[in-house]
Amino acid sequence: MTNTVAAQSQHHVPADLPEKIQHYIGGKFVDSIDGATFEVSDPVSNETYVRAAAGKKADIDHAVNAAAQAFEQGPWPRMLPRERSRVLHRIADIVESHDARLAELESFDSGLPITQALGQARRAAENFRFFADLIVAQSDDTYKVPGRQINYVNRTPIGVAGLITPWNTPFMLESWKLGPALATGNTVVLKPAEFTPLSASLWAGIFEEAGLPEGVFNLVNGLGEEAGDALVKHPDVPLISFTGESSTGQLIFANAAPHLKGLSMELGGKSPAVVFADADLDAAIDATIFGVFSLNGERCTAGSRILVERPIYDEFIERYAAQAKRVRVGYPHDPSTEVGALVHTEHYDKVMSYIEIGKTEARLVAGGGRADGFEVGNFVTPTVFADVKPDARIFQEEIFGPVVAITPFDSDSEALELANGVRYGLAAYIWTNDLKRAHNFSQSVQAGMVWLNSNNVRDLRTPFGGVKASGLGHEGGYRSIDFYTQQQAVHITLGEVHNPTFGKADSQQH
Ligand code: NAD
């Protein structure tokens, strides 16, 4: 049996795939107004398995109108938080009860290993549950100025929120925006990533079943430069929450400027994992392997640069490379797979080109190309480069695949300089048993999030966001509630009116 035949026989195609993927506007599934569609392929066969409606400005106008009408006239923004919370809990229940199907579709469409896709489906449910709870626990500030004034905060939803999401863990990242946007009483237009529209098409059914009123959730598929661009430029969309590449974020920032929109930007990363000689080496190796190879390396917070203190450098490289070679590349639907297929041929080509660049810049110690035994599909071997110089492209640029750059350092100050020496600042992982160093280093590293002797495990209450080219603003917990709400300050006089009097001086003289 040739590898190609083996590959085809191993290719799992879920039953009951949709015949087409449509927009969902004002409670109805619809095609694009001009009938345009685009091809959607799966990353194992790279063949088109469905066509999706390609939204343009007219479709965005249609969706924004539906969302604006639901905001102005519908019940959702006016419901009690407890009532909205019930709907959100039902959404979480439904997502949870469909987790296996969701994971199957997500894994098929995106190439994520099935076990990891299942974890992401459950996290999506948890996002809804979390914001369902938070919105009823929400309290706002009231200030008393004794005898003079009371000030309170009147918090209200803002309007139509535009949500633009990437293709890595698409369903979970959509839930990360949909949860707080809906919990706070906004209505939404979601523009999911064009590589992976399959799982997003399930939201409509889930929301209908949970009792979300018509027009509150709208979805327009399509290309970023068309549908995404029209959403960003729409004058009746006061908020854009965007997750994606830093360069796209810059463009959106400029396009939103004439409308002075509220923007939340979760962008790219090139996060350092810093391993000091006194670290628990076993734990550090396991964590840094997982940190860059989980989710196929297609992870914004991937620890894609590992900085290792010189005394343990050689041992670290040897052990790390040996373990990386044992990471299991396989078909996404196979539960034993640790790294699946990259999302799309375009992205596969990009990652492969970085691997070739890396071979000219550094020492290859594991992987280095297409995974053995896979003639078709976007399968890349976990790839490890050692002795990577800080000016190397593989040190500076986000690759967003299973590729890691390892660099030695000799002192804390050199480690800090290396850690901060890139344009990004999303996450940092620090491995040391020295308490003072751990805190001092964490507080000096330019990163929105730091994990100390820890893998990337995040409590939903904590702030999420990056600094420098990794983002603008923070979401997570109450910060998401803040982004999606207006906070009007209301001031009431209790005692005498505090009125410096102007314009009475002359009247006393006459
Ligand atoms: P991308 O920027 O290419 O696309 C993201 C979304 O933006 C897609 O829906 C796309 O259609 C849309 N888009 C593209 N051009 C647009 C435009 N001109 N106007 C409006 N919308 C437009 O990103 P991607 O390749 O889908 O995702 C990978 C990137 O996302 C990586 O850089 C990764 O680090 C980043 N990411 C960041 C986080 C985070 O929280 N910081 C999380 C996940 C992914």
PDB file of all heavy atoms in Angstrom, residues 1 17 54 101 122 137 184 201 232 269 320 352 362 374 387 424 442:
ATOM      1  N   MET A   1       0.855  -1.207   0.000  1.00  0.00           N
ATOM      2  CA  MET A   1       0.000   0.000   0.000  1.00  0.00           C
ATOM      3  C   MET A   1       0.891   1.258   0.000  1.00  0.00           C
ATOM      4  O   MET A   1       1.806   1.370   0.808  1.00  0.00           O
ATOM      5  CB  MET A   1      -0.858  -0.027   1.272  1.00  0.00           C
ATOM      6  CG  MET A   1      -1.974   0.935   1.181  1.00  0.00           C
ATOM      7  SD  MET A   1      -3.356   0.568   2.309  1.00  0.00           S
ATOM      8  CE  MET A   1      -2.672   0.790   3.922  1.00  0.00           C
ATOM      9  N   LEU A  17     -21.894  16.278   6.819  1.00  0.00           N
ATOM     10  CA  LEU A  17     -21.336  17.622   6.629  1.00  0.00           C
ATOM     11  C   LEU A  17     -22.367  18.469   5.894  1.00  0.00           C
ATOM     12  O   LEU A  17     -23.145  17.942   5.092  1.00  0.00           O
ATOM     13  CB  LEU A  17     -20.055  17.546   5.791  1.00  0.00           C
ATOM     14  CG  LEU A  17     -18.808  17.035   6.506  1.00  0.00           C
ATOM     15  CD1 LEU A  17     -17.654  16.895   5.516  1.00  0.00           C
ATOM     16  CD2 LEU A  17     -18.418  17.974   7.645  1.00  0.00           C
ATOM     17  N   ALA A  54     -19.649  33.980   0.332  1.00  0.00           N
ATOM     18  CA  ALA A  54     -18.594  35.001   0.442  1.00  0.00           C
ATOM     19  C   ALA A  54     -19.268  36.361   0.632  1.00  0.00           C
ATOM     20  O   ALA A  54     -19.766  36.959  -0.325  1.00  0.00           O
ATOM     21  CB  ALA A  54     -17.722  34.997  -0.806  1.00  0.00           C
ATOM     22  N   ARG A 101     -19.187  16.161  18.862  1.00  0.00           N
ATOM     23  CA  ARG A 101     -19.461  16.537  17.473  1.00  0.00           C
ATOM     24  C   ARG A 101     -18.699  17.820  17.091  1.00  0.00           C
ATOM     25  O   ARG A 101     -18.129  17.930  16.016  1.00  0.00           O
ATOM     26  CB  ARG A 101     -20.979  16.747  17.302  1.00  0.00           C
ATOM     27  CG  ARG A 101     -21.422  17.295  15.969  1.00  0.00           C
ATOM     28  CD  ARG A 101     -21.189  16.310  14.825  1.00  0.00           C
ATOM     29  NE  ARG A 101     -21.750  16.800  13.568  1.00  0.00           N
ATOM     30  CZ  ARG A 101     -21.490  16.256  12.391  1.00  0.00           C
ATOM     31  NH1 ARG A 101     -20.715  15.187  12.291  1.00  0.00           N
ATOM     32  NH2 ARG A 101     -22.025  16.748  11.295  1.00  0.00           N
ATOM     33  N   ARG A 122     -14.856  22.312  25.179  1.00  0.00           N
ATOM     34  CA  ARG A 122     -15.287  22.450  26.586  1.00  0.00           C
ATOM     35  C   ARG A 122     -14.940  23.835  27.122  1.00  0.00           C
ATOM     36  O   ARG A 122     -15.673  24.415  27.922  1.00  0.00           O
ATOM     37  CB  ARG A 122     -14.654  21.356  27.439  1.00  0.00           C
ATOM     38  CG  ARG A 122     -15.241  20.009  27.051  1.00  0.00           C
ATOM     39  CD  ARG A 122     -14.664  18.880  27.864  1.00  0.00           C
ATOM     40  NE  ARG A 122     -15.246  17.631  27.400  1.00  0.00           N
ATOM     41  CZ  ARG A 122     -14.644  16.452  27.501  1.00  0.00           C
ATOM     42  NH1 ARG A 122     -13.455  16.355  28.056  1.00  0.00           N
ATOM     43  NH2 ARG A 122     -15.237  15.369  27.051  1.00  0.00           N
ATOM     44  N   ALA A 137     -23.250  38.725  38.911  1.00  0.00           N
ATOM     45  CA  ALA A 137     -22.467  39.151  40.089  1.00  0.00           C
ATOM     46  C   ALA A 137     -21.953  40.579  39.913  1.00  0.00           C
ATOM     47  O   ALA A 137     -21.390  41.161  40.838  1.00  0.00           O
ATOM     48  CB  ALA A 137     -21.288  38.210  40.293  1.00  0.00           C
ATOM     49  N   THR A 184     -23.424  41.159  28.136  1.00  0.00           N
ATOM     50  CA  THR A 184     -23.606  42.567  28.490  1.00  0.00           C
ATOM     51  C   THR A 184     -24.765  43.226  27.737  1.00  0.00           C
ATOM     52  O   THR A 184     -25.015  44.412  27.926  1.00  0.00           O
ATOM     53  CB  THR A 184     -22.301  43.342  28.224  1.00  0.00           C
ATOM     54  OG1 THR A 184     -21.786  42.920  26.953  1.00  0.00           O
ATOM     55  CG2 THR A 184     -21.260  43.072  29.285  1.00  0.00           C
ATOM     56  N   SER A 201     -20.559  27.761  11.876  1.00  0.00           N
ATOM     57  CA  SER A 201     -21.910  27.632  11.323  1.00  0.00           C
ATOM     58  C   SER A 201     -22.850  26.940  12.320  1.00  0.00           C
ATOM     59  O   SER A 201     -24.061  26.930  12.133  1.00  0.00           O
ATOM     60  CB  SER A 201     -21.875  26.876   9.992  1.00  0.00           C
ATOM     61  OG  SER A 201     -21.520  25.526  10.217  1.00  0.00           O
ATOM     62  N   VAL A 232     -15.467  46.535   9.675  1.00  0.00           N
ATOM     63  CA  VAL A 232     -14.631  47.534  10.363  1.00  0.00           C
ATOM     64  C   VAL A 232     -15.043  48.952   9.963  1.00  0.00           C
ATOM     65  O   VAL A 232     -15.040  49.873  10.784  1.00  0.00           O
ATOM     66  CB  VAL A 232     -13.136  47.285  10.033  1.00  0.00           C
ATOM     67  CG1 VAL A 232     -12.267  48.447  10.498  1.00  0.00           C
ATOM     68  CG2 VAL A 232     -12.669  45.983  10.667  1.00  0.00           C
ATOM     69  N   GLY A 269       2.401  36.852  18.479  1.00  0.00           N
ATOM     70  CA  GLY A 269       3.354  36.694  19.576  1.00  0.00           C
ATOM     71  C   GLY A 269       4.620  35.965  19.143  1.00  0.00           C
ATOM     72  O   GLY A 269       4.652  35.319  18.079  1.00  0.00           O
ATOM     73  N   TYR A 320      15.813  17.951  24.936  1.00  0.00           N
ATOM     74  CA  TYR A 320      14.671  18.574  24.259  1.00  0.00           C
ATOM     75  C   TYR A 320      14.511  18.000  22.842  1.00  0.00           C
ATOM     76  O   TYR A 320      13.407  17.623  22.434  1.00  0.00           O
ATOM     77  CB  TYR A 320      14.871  20.097  24.200  1.00  0.00           C
ATOM     78  CG  TYR A 320      13.617  20.848  23.798  1.00  0.00           C
ATOM     79  CD1 TYR A 320      12.730  21.314  24.756  1.00  0.00           C
ATOM     80  CD2 TYR A 320      13.313  21.074  22.460  1.00  0.00           C
ATOM     81  CE1 TYR A 320      11.568  21.989  24.402  1.00  0.00           C
ATOM     82  CE2 TYR A 320      12.161  21.742  22.093  1.00  0.00           C
ATOM     83  CZ  TYR A 320      11.290  22.204  23.062  1.00  0.00           C
ATOM     84  OH  TYR A 320      10.139  22.863  22.704  1.00  0.00           O
ATOM     85  N   MET A 352       6.863  25.996   6.227  1.00  0.00           N
ATOM     86  CA  MET A 352       7.978  25.287   5.572  1.00  0.00           C
ATOM     87  C   MET A 352       9.054  26.266   5.117  1.00  0.00           C
ATOM     88  O   MET A 352      10.252  25.961   5.184  1.00  0.00           O
ATOM     89  CB  MET A 352       7.466  24.488   4.379  1.00  0.00           C
ATOM     90  CG  MET A 352       6.714  23.253   4.778  1.00  0.00           C
ATOM     91  SD  MET A 352       7.740  22.152   5.775  1.00  0.00           S
ATOM     92  CE  MET A 352       7.420  20.644   4.959  1.00  0.00           C
ATOM     93  N   ALA A 362      20.683  28.685  11.691  1.00  0.00           N
ATOM     94  CA  ALA A 362      20.943  28.056  12.989  1.00  0.00           C
ATOM     95  C   ALA A 362      21.195  26.562  12.810  1.00  0.00           C
ATOM     96  O   ALA A 362      21.207  26.054  11.683  1.00  0.00           O
ATOM     97  CB  ALA A 362      19.745  28.300  13.913  1.00  0.00           C
ATOM     98  N   PHE A 374       3.573  10.791   5.366  1.00  0.00           N
ATOM     99  CA  PHE A 374       2.393  11.595   4.969  1.00  0.00           C
ATOM    100  C   PHE A 374       2.712  12.284   3.639  1.00  0.00           C
ATOM    101  O   PHE A 374       3.419  13.285   3.614  1.00  0.00           O
ATOM    102  CB  PHE A 374       2.067  12.654   6.023  1.00  0.00           C
ATOM    103  CG  PHE A 374       1.742  12.087   7.371  1.00  0.00           C
ATOM    104  CD1 PHE A 374       2.734  11.874   8.309  1.00  0.00           C
ATOM    105  CD2 PHE A 374       0.434  11.753   7.704  1.00  0.00           C
ATOM    106  CE1 PHE A 374       2.444  11.346   9.559  1.00  0.00           C
ATOM    107  CE2 PHE A 374       0.134  11.220   8.947  1.00  0.00           C
ATOM    108  CZ  PHE A 374       1.138  11.019   9.880  1.00  0.00           C
ATOM    109  N   ASP A 387      21.174  27.211  18.952  1.00  0.00           N
ATOM    110  CA  ASP A 387      22.177  28.269  18.705  1.00  0.00           C
ATOM    111  C   ASP A 387      21.599  29.392  17.842  1.00  0.00           C
ATOM    112  O   ASP A 387      22.284  29.919  16.950  1.00  0.00           O
ATOM    113  CB  ASP A 387      23.434  27.704  18.001  1.00  0.00           C
ATOM    114  CG  ASP A 387      23.994  26.475  18.700  1.00  0.00           C
ATOM    115  OD1 ASP A 387      23.637  26.231  19.871  1.00  0.00           O
ATOM    116  OD2 ASP A 387      24.784  25.750  18.061  1.00  0.00           O
ATOM    117  N   TYR A 424       7.209  41.755  19.626  1.00  0.00           N
ATOM    118  CA  TYR A 424       6.012  41.229  20.294  1.00  0.00           C
ATOM    119  C   TYR A 424       6.140  41.265  21.811  1.00  0.00           C
ATOM    120  O   TYR A 424       7.246  41.387  22.338  1.00  0.00           O
ATOM    121  CB  TYR A 424       5.760  39.788  19.855  1.00  0.00           C
ATOM    122  CG  TYR A 424       5.472  39.650  18.379  1.00  0.00           C
ATOM    123  CD1 TYR A 424       6.432  39.145  17.508  1.00  0.00           C
ATOM    124  CD2 TYR A 424       4.241  40.034  17.864  1.00  0.00           C
ATOM    125  CE1 TYR A 424       6.166  39.015  16.151  1.00  0.00           C
ATOM    126  CE2 TYR A 424       3.966  39.910  16.501  1.00  0.00           C
ATOM    127  CZ  TYR A 424       4.932  39.403  15.652  1.00  0.00           C
ATOM    128  OH  TYR A 424       4.658  39.282  14.319  1.00  0.00           O
ATOM    129  N   SER A 442      10.040  38.480  36.114  1.00  0.00           N
ATOM    130  CA  SER A 442       8.648  38.559  35.627  1.00  0.00           C
ATOM    131  C   SER A 442       8.201  40.003  35.483  1.00  0.00           C
ATOM    132  O   SER A 442       7.527  40.365  34.522  1.00  0.00           O
ATOM    133  CB  SER A 442       7.692  37.902  36.611  1.00  0.00           C
ATOM    134  OG  SER A 442       8.021  36.578  36.765  1.00  0.00           O
TER     135      SER A 442
END
